[in-house]
Amino acid sequence: MSSQQPRRGARRRPRTALAAAVLGSVVAGVLALPGTASADADTPDVSRLILTPTATPADSQSFTWRSTTAGGGTVQVRPVGGAPVDVAATAVDTSNLAGVDYVHYSATATGLTADTAYEYRVGGGERWSRWRPFRSAAKGAKPFEFLYYGDAQIGLDSTWPAVVAAANAKAPRSAGSVHAGDLIDSSNQVQWTSWFNGMGESAATTQVLAAPGNHEYTGDGALRNWKMNFEYPANHPGPATIGALAERAKGDTDAARQTAAYFAHWENVAKETVYYSDFQDVRFITLNATQNTGYLRPPTLPSCAVDCPSPGPLWVEFQAAWLDHVLTANPNKWSVVTFHQPVYSTSTGRDEPVLRANWVPVFQKHNVDLVLMGHDHTYARGYNNTNATDAPGTTNGPVYAVSNSGAKHYTLAPAGDNVWTRNGATQVKRGQGVTTYQVVSVNGDTVTYRSYVAEKKADSPEPEQVGDLFDSFTITKRGGVKHVTEAGVEPPSADDEQRIKVTVPERAPGELVWSIDGGNGVVDLGTAKRSGDHYAATGSLNPVRVTDTRVDAPRWSLSGRVGDFTSAGKTFSGKYLGWSPFVGENGGDAVAGAAVASGFLSGNGLAESATLGSAPVGHAEGSSVLRADLDLRLPVTVADGTYHGTLTLTALG
């Protein structure tokens, strides 16, 4: 909608004339006002839309949603401003909530162009969701941010949506989010609906990488709800990717037969719970740390009396062997591993020795950059003591972090005696009674991690308040050398380096402005000429420059509408004017609006508002120049005279 008063984020430009003379006419430009971008409404059939990455998100994208339509589903994908392509969906499963039956669909679009703005909608027939934006990943390194959440679990209708809103306000251009398990408390349709509601549009427009926690199995031992909600890469562990461990399943012994049965069963257990995705020079790896023997045991298991495998430890070792394989083959500069139960527990009475014994050696061997965990409903971040250095505030190995993003809180183990101190690790920062989210920025040679307080218990001992920066550090990799430095600490320089430092202040909110370039703004269509059964005149709209410097790069559009043309008491309708928009200079990712025919041919021409140009969410910061060829066609019955009309331009953003 538009308003007659400028809103915050927009600046008033001088009133400018654009004149169109048809028999001579003037089109006057008036104030362009920001407002809420219009969008087609979602069909009520569709809900729980979510984007999840493939193994190669530079050229493909997965979509999942829930629908009340059982007759099949389709995703339509198009480059912004381009023609849509249909992608048939698969019906994954069904569910029921409050007496309503749903079908859960998933689909994967392939053949995408890297680092390109796309739009998609889901549905079928006459019933579709609205078009939503997403962007394919770049091939190789390109700066981006992602969010890291600990357990949402409790407070799904209160704390969780507030945490997500705060995180998205802090990182409005985030490429996606990493979730370290226990997204819900009990795996039922009510709680999953609440989790999706809390995620809002961020689930439907950015990548979501989630690890299952123990509560995903509560009431759902086969993870049926998980697998109907998420579509993840099928690059999970199997005999070909677990190295020498696969040998244990070979032979005629009871132990070998039972191990083979476990491995065969676990290929399905690991599917969509253990996976990796390569995104802009980062390998994101997700593990399944839950060791409940109920779901680890296959329906039928060969008998075993001697040297029988223990399913929990073997499951952890199974993933460790695969983890070693995918880290050895990692072509990216950075690696991030996410799972639920921590290898270094933080809360009183908790410990995961099997995970620690099997996974920490792999993290240390490959010098994984970030190990992101949840489960303990407290905060802690630190390092393995073997990675300490002589430089204050500097380490050189993996960073281990535990976060809590919900309303459930536990008590920290004592600072001087806990799982970390007893197992050769150091907590740099710890917190109790705080709900946090983390913003992680990846930029060339550096990864910067920042944790913020989203909610705080009244009895929390931490001095930080809601909205404060709670923790931060930077990882730097140059010339094969890695340094993890605390806030305010510079990484050591190599012998051949001189470091240059500059501080850039926080950006202002920015603004969306437009102006008319060139001349006095008059578009003179000259004298209309007879062309068979009508008069015709053509010309070009003066260029309209749109500049958007707002930090969150929201969608904007600029539309135009023409009133009646008048001349000394005579008039004709603005519908007879049409246009064909196009984009000139384009530093802001603008897309031209659709051509509108003169109403003499069909429709109501520019008497109805039409889009001159627009830019999608996440567009580049810069200026774009919008232009249009004008086409006026009049009935021969229009009286002679010099007519003037006004084209009103309205910005929505």
Side-chain angles (χ1 to χ4, degrees), residues 495-509:
D495 293 339
D496 59 352
E497 288 183 338
Q498 289 191 41
R499 196 77 42 80
I500 299 173
K501 180 179 179 181
V502 62
T503 300
V504 178
E506 185 174 352
R507 289 180 56 188

Side-chain angles (χ1 to χ4, degrees), residues 288-299:
N288 185 340
T290 305
Q291 302 168 61
N292 186 301
T293 57
Y295 73 85
L296 291 178
R297 185 182 177 91

Side-chain angles (χ1 to χ4, degrees), residues 212-231:
N214 52 300
H215 281 270
E216 273 71 44
Y217 288 91
T218 302
D220 188 13
L223 279 194
R224 181 180 173 188
N225 288 324
W226 179 275
K227 296 190 177 188
M228 70 175 68
N229 287 330
F230 303 112
E231 178 76 18

Side-chain angles (χ1 to χ4, degrees), residues 40-51 61-69 72-78 84-90 103-109 119-134 204:
D40 295 334
D42 279 314
T43 173
D45 294 9
V46 170
S47 56
R48 292 194 192 172
L49 278 77
I50 187 168
L51 300 183
Q61 177 65 58
S62 291
F63 311 84
T64 304
W65 70 98
R66 182 182 71 171
S67 175
T68 55
T69 300
T74 300
V75 180
Q76 288 191 331
V77 181
R78 66 187 184 190
V85 174
D86 287 0
V87 181
T90 299
V103 178
H104 295 255
Y105 292 101
S106 67
T108 299
E119 295 175 316
Y120 79 98
R121 65 177 185 172
V122 304
E126 299 299 319
R127 306 178 74 84
W128 293 90
S129 69
R130 64 182 176 85
W131 288 99
R132 285 177 166 84
F134 74 94

Side-chain angles (χ1 to χ4, degrees), residues 194-215:
S194 294
W195 183 85
F196 273 94
N197 289 343
M199 282 291 290
E201 283 298 295
S202 63
T205 56
T206 66
Q207 307 289 349
V208 176
L209 298 95
N214 52 300
H215 281 270

Side-chain angles (χ1 to χ4, degrees), residues 95-319:
S95 66
N96 181 282
L97 178 61
V100 179
D101 291 324
Y102 294 94
V103 178
H104 295 255
Y105 292 101
S106 67
T108 299
T110 59
L112 303 182
T113 301
D115 198 16
T116 299
Y118 285 91
E119 295 175 316
Y120 79 98
R121 65 177 185 172
V122 304
E126 299 299 319
R127 306 178 74 84
W128 293 90
S129 69
R130 64 182 176 85
W131 288 99
R132 285 177 166 84
F134 74 94
R135 192 174 193 91
S136 57
K139 285 186 176 179
K142 182 182 179 181
F144 72 99
E145 289 183 329
F146 69 91
L147 299 167
Y148 154 43
Y149 295 112
D151 305 35
Q153 189 181 353
I154 300 297
L156 290 174
D157 296 318
S158 53
T159 297
W160 176 235
V163 172
V164 173
N168 287 325
K170 185 67 68 174
R173 296 192 184 188
S174 164
S177 52
V178 167
H179 302 254
D182 279 7
L183 285 64
I184 42 81
D185 187 50
S186 183
S187 186
N188 58 60
Q189 294 302 313
V190 171
Q191 293 203 12
W192 278 113
T193 298
S194 294
W195 183 85
F196 273 94
N197 289 343
M199 282 291 290
E201 283 298 295
S202 63
T205 56
T206 66
Q207 307 289 349
V208 176
L209 298 95
N214 52 300
H215 281 270
E216 273 71 44
Y217 288 91
T218 302
D220 188 13
L223 279 194
R224 181 180 173 188
N225 288 324
W226 179 275
K227 296 190 177 188
M228 70 175 68
N229 287 330
F230 303 112
E231 178 76 18
Y232 286 123
N235 48 22
H236 49 277
T241 56
I242 59 172
L245 186 64
E247 297 300 315
R248 293 195 203 168
K250 298 177 181 179
D252 292 331
T253 66
D254 289 353
R257 283 190 291 271
Q258 199 168 85
T259 300
Y262 279 124
F263 286 176
H265 177 60
W266 291 347
E267 286 200 57
N268 183 61
V269 172
K271 185 179 181 182
E272 296 181 311
T273 71
V274 184
Y275 59 91
Y276 68 85
S277 176
D278 292 336
F279 191 97
Q280 295 180 186
D281 216 20
V282 180
R283 174 155 285 186
F284 287 94
I285 302 171
T286 298
L287 300 175
N288 185 340
T290 305
Q291 302 168 61
N292 186 301
T293 57
Y295 73 85
L296 291 178
R297 185 182 177 91
T300 58
L301 188 65
S303 60
C304 180
V306 179
D307 297 328
C308 305
S310 177
L314 184 61
W315 166 243
V316 174
E317 191 177 359
F318 181 71
Q319 293 179 74

